[in-house]
């Protein structure tokens, strides 16, 4: 389970050269790095323990006037190349290189961060630039790029700047039995369903959004009329048309965005109604549940349509942003874990139908959410406010560690761990929940960030904490940390699991040399 804590942190961004269209167009986290693309420039930040801008690239006014502003972007899976499509339909390929010199943090020892140099490799006009076609977002695999067009086709390019042309997929599929619909009506009266591959799909609509899962080799194509189709992709990749095959049509014809959880094989579909539909995409495909803020008294008029969805790295929870207001995090079972939108009674003076006073406390993302991204450990949720280009918000999250031992007995103390601290639930006689923020020693966390495993003893008096390497113990009664006396011995421990057996800590240690 995830729990948000603290105030959101702000990452400031530089202003660009296009004040009339300033907004963030792309946000992505790969390999402890955060890429932010704006219409006239983009920035590369570290998303690890220290938030440092490692590199940036600003286009000159002549380039923007000649080739247009940055419109769509995608980052290669190895974080070495960036592809950007401009408003005048030019393809730019950039290369990211890191220097060998490490960045010093606070004048202390060098960190693991290196400054980046970003250079333009190529700029080519796309062959369909004169055909007045709008484009969707860009997806990629290791070799190819794919973008959806407003004429209902997919256009294929390579990371080398080669243009392969349109993939004219045949979505008109019939069989002798005619169309079949597997429908499901939920308790809130909203009908949704899965249409089988025997259903005919019109190709007149523009392709507005693409989602590609490389582990599952599945491509999701979203059209402007709200239709969503699932396509399988062969091992040959995205280059050839015959390697992409139409399989199913999903949803209730009002989809606006999607996000897939490969580990759970679950697809989250955001709709114009502000509702999120969860589908199990393993055979047989089925609608699991829907979630929304309707039970909080908020309708689509208050939040707008769903604008973005992002799964946590372990696929146990997902964040949802809305076009007009706020974001919310749900567990995979439908439990609401966090929301920037206040829960207000329908009969309250501050109900959703009444505009709140400007003097009220600030609510994050009050103007809506355009992008959301989890970091690689699920400790931070990055969010961009609709229409904003000045900053990125980062919400901090903690994870609950197991509170049952080998015997199955529930432990006396509940512990939540974040990237650099523990949140210990204090037992109180009152109904109020009190948390003790236990910050880890700098000498340990600076070298072994982030926290990966935490275990509490059965009586709740001792805590074992493991980061990337090593292990430290905490005595709650004495308020004292215990360390390894030998740092080299600490670095040999790469913990993959922790468990208390009475007063003994059991560590599952991974050894690189033997891969065991």
């Amino acid at each position: 389970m995830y729990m948000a804590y603290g105030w959101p942190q702000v990452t400031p961004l530089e202003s660009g050269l296009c004040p009339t269209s300033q907004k963030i167009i792309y946000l992505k986290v790969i390999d402890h790095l955060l890429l932010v693309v704006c219409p006239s420039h983009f920035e590369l930040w570290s998303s690890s323990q220290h938030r440092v801008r490692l590199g940036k690239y600003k286009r000159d006014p002549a380039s923007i006037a000649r080739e247009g502003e940055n419109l769509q972007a995608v980052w290669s899976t190895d974080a070495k190349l960036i592809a950007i499509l401009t408003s005048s339909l030019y393809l730019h390929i950039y290369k990211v290189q890191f220097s060998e010199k490490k960045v010093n943090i606070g004048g202390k020892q060098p960190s693991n961060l290196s400054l980046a140099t970003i250079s333009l490799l190529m700029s080519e006009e796309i062959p369909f630039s004169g055909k007045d076609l709008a484009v969707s977002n860009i997806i990629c695999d290791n070799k190819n790029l794919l973008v959806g067009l407003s004429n209902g086709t997919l256009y294929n390019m390579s990371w080398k700047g080669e243009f392969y042309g349109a993939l004219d997929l045949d979505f008109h599929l019939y069989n002798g039995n005619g169309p079949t619909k597997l429908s499901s009506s939920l308790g809130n009266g909203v009908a949704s369903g899965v249409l089988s591959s025997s259903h005919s799909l019109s190709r007149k609509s523009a392709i507005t959004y693409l989602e590609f899962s490389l582990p599952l080799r599945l491509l999701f194509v979203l059209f402007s009329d709200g239709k969503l189709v699932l396509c399988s992709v062969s091992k040959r990749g995205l280059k050839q048309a015959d390697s992409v095959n139409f399989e199913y049509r999903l949803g209730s014809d009002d989809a606006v965005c999607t996000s897939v959880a490969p580990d759970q094989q679950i697809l989250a579909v955001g709709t114009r109604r502000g509702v999120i539909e969860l589908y199990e995409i393993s055979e047989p495909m089925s609608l699991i549940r829907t979630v929304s803020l309707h039970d909080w008294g908020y309708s689509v008029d208050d939040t707008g349509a769903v604008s973005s969805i992002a799964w946590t790295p372990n696929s146990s929870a997902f964040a949802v942003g809305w076009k007009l207001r706020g974001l919310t995090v749900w567990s995979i079972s439908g439990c609401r874990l966090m929301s920037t939108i206040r829960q207000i009674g329908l009969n309250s003076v501050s109900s959703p139908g009444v505009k709140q006073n400007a003097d009220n406390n600030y609510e994050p993302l009050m103007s809506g959410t355009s992008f959301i991204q989890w970091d690689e450990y699920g400790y931070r949720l990055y969010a961009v406010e609709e229409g904003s280009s000045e900053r990125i918000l980062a919400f901090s999250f903690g994870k609950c560690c197991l509170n049952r031992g080998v015997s199955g007995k529930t432990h006396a103390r509940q512990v939540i761990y974040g990237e650099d601290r523990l949140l210990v639930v204090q037992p109180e006689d009152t109904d109020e929940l009190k948390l003790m923020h236990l910050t880890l020693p700098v000498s340990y966390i600076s070298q072994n960030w982030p926290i990966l495993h935490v275990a509490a003893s059965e009586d709740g008096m001792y805590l074992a904490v493991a980061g990337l390497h090593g292990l430290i113990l905490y005595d709650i009664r004495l308020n004292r940390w215990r360390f390894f006396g030998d740092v080299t011995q600490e670095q040999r421990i790469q913990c993959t699991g922790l468990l208390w057996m009475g007063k003994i800590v059991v560590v599952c240690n991974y050894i690189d040399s033997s891969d065991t």
Side-chain angles (χ1 to χ4, degrees):
M1 188 181 76
Y2 284 76
M3 189 192 81
Y5 66 91
W7 294 97
Q9 297 175 328
V10 176
T11 301
L13 301 176
E14 286 195 5
S15 58
L17 301 175
C18 310
T20 58
S21 61
Q22 275 305 296
K23 64 177 182 178
I24 294 173
I25 65 169
Y26 186 75
L27 184 74
K28 186 70 174 180
V29 176
I30 296 179
D31 196 21
H32 310 306
L33 300 171
L34 172 67
L35 175 65
V36 188
V37 182
C38 296
S40 62
H41 71 288
F42 55 90
E43 302 180 24
L44 190 63
W45 289 74
S46 66
S47 66
S48 56
Q49 183 179 10
H50 304 287
R51 278 172 287 279
V52 180
R53 188 173 63 192
L54 303 176
K56 65 179 180 179
Y57 188 95
K58 277 194 171 184
R59 295 177 57 196
D60 58 80
S63 169
I64 295 175
R66 182 177 63 255
E67 300 176 354
E69 302 174 1
N70 299 335
L71 182 64
Q72 299 289 350
V74 70
W75 202 4
S76 64
T77 54
D78 59 6
K80 294 181 179 180
L81 296 174
I82 302 169
I84 294 180
L85 202 59
T86 69
S87 56
S88 297
L89 298 182
Y90 278 79
L91 176 65
H92 293 177
I93 303 292
Y94 297 89
K95 184 177 182 179
V96 181
Q97 289 181 303
F98 289 93
S99 64
E100 296 181 358
K101 185 178 180 180
K102 300 298 182 181
V103 178
N104 292 338
I105 303 298
K108 300 180 181 179
Q109 295 294 326
S111 66
N112 293 324
L113 303 176
S114 300
L115 294 178
T117 301
I118 304 173
S119 56
L120 178 64
L121 291 182
M122 59 152 288
S123 174
E124 293 288 342
E125 187 176 12
I126 300 179
F128 61 79
S129 59
K131 299 182 180 179
D132 194 26
L133 293 173
V135 297
S136 72
N137 63 310
I138 311 172
I139 61 168
C140 69
D141 57 15
N142 298 329
K143 297 181 179 180
N144 301 295
L145 308 170
L146 200 63
V147 63
L149 304 181
S150 55
N151 62 1
T153 62
L154 301 170
Y155 195 85
N156 198 304
M157 303 167 284
S158 77
W159 280 106
K160 297 180 180 180
E162 301 166 323
F163 301 107
Y164 298 126
L167 299 182
D168 198 6
L169 302 180
D170 186 8
F171 292 123
H172 292 276
L173 299 177
Y174 295 91
N175 63 18
N177 299 326
T180 303
K181 182 173 182 178
L182 309 177
S183 62
S184 174
S185 181
L186 302 177
N188 57 8
V190 179
S192 302
V194 180
L195 294 181
S196 72
S197 58
S198 59
H199 190 84
S200 173
L201 177 67
S202 172
R203 288 174 48 223
K204 295 181 180 179
S205 300
I207 295 177
T208 57
Y209 187 83
L210 299 175
E211 174 86 12
F212 179 55
S213 173
L214 187 59
L216 299 179
R217 309 207 69 83
L218 292 178
L219 172 65
F220 302 91
V221 183
L222 180 60
F223 293 84
S224 59
D225 58 3
K227 292 182 174 61
L228 174 65
V229 299
L230 181 154
C231 301
S232 60
V233 180
S234 70
K235 294 182 179 180
R236 289 179 294 175
L238 299 170
K239 182 177 180 179
Q240 299 178 355
D242 58 356
S243 65
V244 181
N245 300 305
F246 169 64
E247 299 289 345
Y248 292 96
R249 181 178 141 201
L250 303 169
S252 48
D253 292 351
D254 64 346
V256 289
C257 63
T258 63
S259 183
V260 64
D263 296 340
Q264 302 282 358
Q265 295 193 37
I266 292 178
L267 176 71
V269 180
T271 67
R272 295 190 181 101
R273 295 172 281 117
V275 176
I276 302 90
E277 301 171 347
L278 298 181
Y279 292 91
E280 185 176 2
I281 53 178
S282 59
E283 296 289 347
M285 302 186 66
S286 60
L287 176 66
I288 303 174
R289 65 177 55 87
T290 66
V291 294
S292 70
L293 291 180
H294 293 167
D295 56 342
W296 273 23
Y298 289 94
S299 67
V300 66
D301 296 331
D302 304 303
T303 63
V306 177
S307 60
S308 53
I309 305 173
W311 287 90
T312 56
N314 61 3
S315 302
S316 64
F318 59 96
V320 178
W322 283 274
K323 187 73 173 178
L324 300 182
R325 183 181 179 184
L327 70 82
T328 298
V329 178
W330 273 283
S331 70
I332 196 171
S333 60
C335 176
R336 189 167 47 243
L337 304 177
M338 169 267 192
S339 182
T340 63
I341 305 175
R342 297 180 178 90
Q343 184 172 8
I344 303 172
L346 290 175
N347 296 326
S348 170
V349 176
S350 300
S351 64
V354 179
K355 291 186 177 180
Q356 300 187 24
N357 193 310
D359 296 332
N360 284 358
N361 292 333
Y362 173 73
E363 178 182 302
L365 305 170
M366 189 68 181
S367 300
T369 307
S370 57
F371 291 98
I372 48 178
Q373 270 278 306
W374 291 92
D375 74 352
E376 291 171 296
Y377 297 102
Y379 288 126
R380 292 195 206 117
L381 175 61
Y382 296 100
V384 176
E385 192 160 10
E386 184 68 32
S388 172
S389 63
E390 301 174 350
R391 62 181 187 173
I392 299 171
L393 298 180
F395 296 86
S396 298
F397 280 80
K399 307 174 187 179
C400 293
C401 68
L402 295 176
N403 65 339
R404 290 179 182 271
V406 179
S407 64
K409 182 179 178 180
T410 302
H411 291 176
R413 197 180 300 272
Q414 180 67 57
V415 180
I416 300 168
Y417 59 98
E419 59 179 334
D420 61 354
R421 70 190 62 206
L422 304 181
L423 306 177
V424 183
V425 180
Q426 298 282 58
E428 295 287 342
D429 296 332
T430 63
D431 294 334
E432 294 184 2
L433 179 66
K434 292 187 177 181
L435 294 176
M436 177 181 69
H437 283 246
L438 185 60
T439 305
L440 267 66
V442 176
S443 59
Y444 177 78
I445 197 64
S446 62
Q447 301 297 321
N448 301 292
W449 180 95
I451 299 175
L452 297 180
H453 302 280
V454 176
S457 62
E458 190 172 301
D459 59 5
M461 291 296 104
Y462 299 95
L463 302 174
V465 182
L468 286 179
H469 295 92
L471 175 73
I472 56 176
L473 304 178
Y474 185 73
D475 189 326
I476 291 181
R477 285 175 294 192
L478 300 178
N479 295 328
R480 181 180 298 174
W481 289 99
R482 297 174 62 184
F483 302 83
F484 275 94
D486 187 351
V487 177
T488 58
Q489 189 180 30
E490 175 186 88
Q491 292 300 305
R492 293 194 194 104
I493 295 180
Q494 191 171 342
C495 178
T496 58
L498 275 179
L499 185 67
W500 283 90
M501 296 184 66
K503 300 297 183 182
I504 300 174
V505 183
V506 180
V507 181
C508 183
N509 184 33
Y510 174 75
I511 302 175
D512 286 323
S513 58
S514 60
D515 193 24
T516 58

